[in-house]
Amino acid sequence: MPTEMATIKEIQTAWGTYRFVESPVDWFAIDVLAALTVLWILFTFWYKGVRQFNVVRYPYIETMIPYAEWDRKLLREKPPIGVGSAIVYFFKTLFADVLAMGILKCEYGKSEKEVVKTRAAKRVAKLMMVWGFVFAGLSTTLAYFTFPHNMIVLDLHHPARIIGMAGGVLMVVGALLWLSVRYKEVNYRGIWDWLGADYLPFMVLLLGISGFVLQAAIYVWALNPSDAVANAFLYFAEHFHAIPVALFFWAFFWTKADHIIYRIFWRIYEYADKKHAASHNISRLPPPTLKVMNKTGKEIQPGY
């Protein structure tokens, strides 16, 4: 528990003069944990995404497996994607489907496992969560390069603070909106069923709330460094924020949340297949008029 004396310093920066306090956690420890987290993410992506072929699987592959002919035509006989095309489709996917959530503008009137009447609310919720993470990432990057080493700004009008608070608000509101919509439309068997199905929004909600709690604790501790309650609050807030952060990144690929990463690759393949089908004047299986239920009980979505 931090008990050392906190000294508030006024420091001139490129953004102006701000009040800073020494970080209760050394940045070197944070950097080491961040590096280990990146290595873990890369390993799990290679193991679950590449080795288990999740990256090259399409969302509708599961409905195709019983039909060997379709599997061959939809997978093994597809032409390779050129590097240039892959780059173009990646940025199209990033800006159109991820940052603008265009993927929920379903081409066939209904996206995978989305209820039509709640799709608009879900799109808003996902937009808020995605942009909340974007703002949080920008805030963290800005703070890392503009804050003096091992120092944390207290003034809320610093650009890193403004962007970070905006990101936190978007994450919290977006997660609450998503969870409220999902709770009403899904018949969950209990809290654990709900948590398992919506692990990612729960984590986003905890990340946003715990981030605000941690910043409040740092501010209280900086003003009352010798106060036992302030130190206890800071100790609690540090762990309250660190645990969701660790769970989010270290458990990401071991939950249903990993489909977010895979879907980016699926969408790139989908754009390439559409271009191939159009340029060669061919139709992909299944045909648009096909309305058949396979043995998994899922309706086969139309092709192009």
Side-chain angles (χ1 to χ4, degrees):
M1 182 182 298
T3 56
E4 65 272 10
M5 199 69 177
T7 303
I8 298 176
K9 301 177 181 179
E10 285 197 0
I11 300 176
Q12 178 69 35
T13 70
W15 302 95
T17 302
Y18 295 95
R19 294 177 303 156
F20 287 86
V21 66
E22 187 173 355
S23 173
V25 179
D26 192 276
W27 284 14
F28 177 75
I30 297 176
D31 291 343
V32 170
L33 291 174
L36 292 174
T37 300
V38 171
L39 291 175
W40 171 252
I41 290 174
L42 292 175
F43 169 76
T44 51
F45 175 76
W46 168 78
Y47 182 78
K48 287 199 67 183
V50 178
R51 286 199 62 187
Q52 297 183 14
F53 302 103
N54 286 306
V55 170
V56 296
R57 291 172 63 185
Y58 303 3
Y60 39 78
I61 289 276
E62 294 293 340
T63 67
M64 302 300 165
I65 289 176
Y67 306 96
E69 178 70 12
W70 290 6
D71 179 60
R72 178 171 60 82
K73 289 185 178 297
L74 287 172
L75 288 175
R76 287 177 283 159
E77 293 183 359
K78 285 183 178 178
I81 304 175
V83 176
S85 296
I87 294 174
V88 170
Y89 296 143
F90 169 77
F91 283 105
K92 183 176 181 180
T93 299
L94 176 64
F95 289 104
D97 294 311
V98 178
L99 296 181
M101 275 295 142
I103 198 169
L104 293 187
K105 287 181 177 178
C106 237
E107 297 173 26
Y108 311 116
K110 187 178 180 182
S111 62
E112 186 184 17
K113 298 183 180 179
E114 297 283 348
V115 178
V116 174
K117 65 180 180 180
T118 62
R119 192 169 63 246
K122 286 181 177 180
R123 188 182 181 204
V124 172
K126 287 186 176 181
L127 275 171
M128 296 181 77
M129 287 189 285
V130 166
W131 280 100
F133 263 99
V134 171
F135 284 2
L138 289 174
S139 173
T140 302
T141 304
L142 191 61
Y144 188 84
F145 288 106
T146 61
F147 289 6
H149 183 69
N150 269 351
M151 302 296 287
I152 298 177
V153 70
L154 296 177
D155 298 297
L156 299 181
H157 59 277
H158 188 282
R161 283 282 194 220
I162 296 174
I163 297 173
M165 288 188 293
V169 170
L170 288 173
M171 290 167 66
V172 171
V173 176
L176 287 174
L177 178 59
W178 174 270
L179 292 171
S180 65
V181 171
R182 286 279 290 170
Y183 183 79
K184 291 178 182 178
E185 75 175 20
V186 180
N187 185 24
Y188 292 112
R189 294 187 296 272
I191 183 64
W192 294 110
D193 185 32
W194 190 18
L195 179 60
D198 290 297
Y199 171 85
L200 187 61
F202 271 113
M203 286 296 102
V204 172
L205 179 62
L206 282 177
L207 284 175
I209 293 176
S210 63
F212 283 117
V213 171
L214 177 59
Q215 297 311 314
I218 291 174
Y219 195 84
V220 171
W221 171 71
L223 296 178
N224 305 275
S226 59
D227 183 72
V229 175
N231 279 271
F233 182 30
L234 178 61
Y235 182 81
F236 163 77
E238 287 174 346
H239 292 80
F240 181 47
H241 186 60
I243 292 173
V245 170
L247 283 175
F248 179 85
F249 290 105
W250 282 76
F252 187 88
F253 280 96
W254 302 100
T255 66
K256 295 180 180 180
D258 61 348
H259 78 280
I260 295 174
I261 303 300
Y262 303 143
R263 179 161 287 190
I264 293 176
F265 291 90
W266 296 340
R267 197 64 165 171
I268 292 172
Y269 285 126
E270 192 171 353
Y271 283 129
D273 291 336
K274 286 182 179 180
K275 182 179 179 181
H276 175 72
S279 61
H280 290 77
N281 193 28
I282 59 175
S283 293
R284 296 181 56 202
L285 293 175
T289 56
L290 185 64
K291 295 291 182 181
V292 182
M293 300 297 288
N294 71 356
K295 67 180 183 181
T296 64
K298 299 178 182 177
E299 182 178 326
I300 298 176
Q301 296 294 340
Y304 14 84

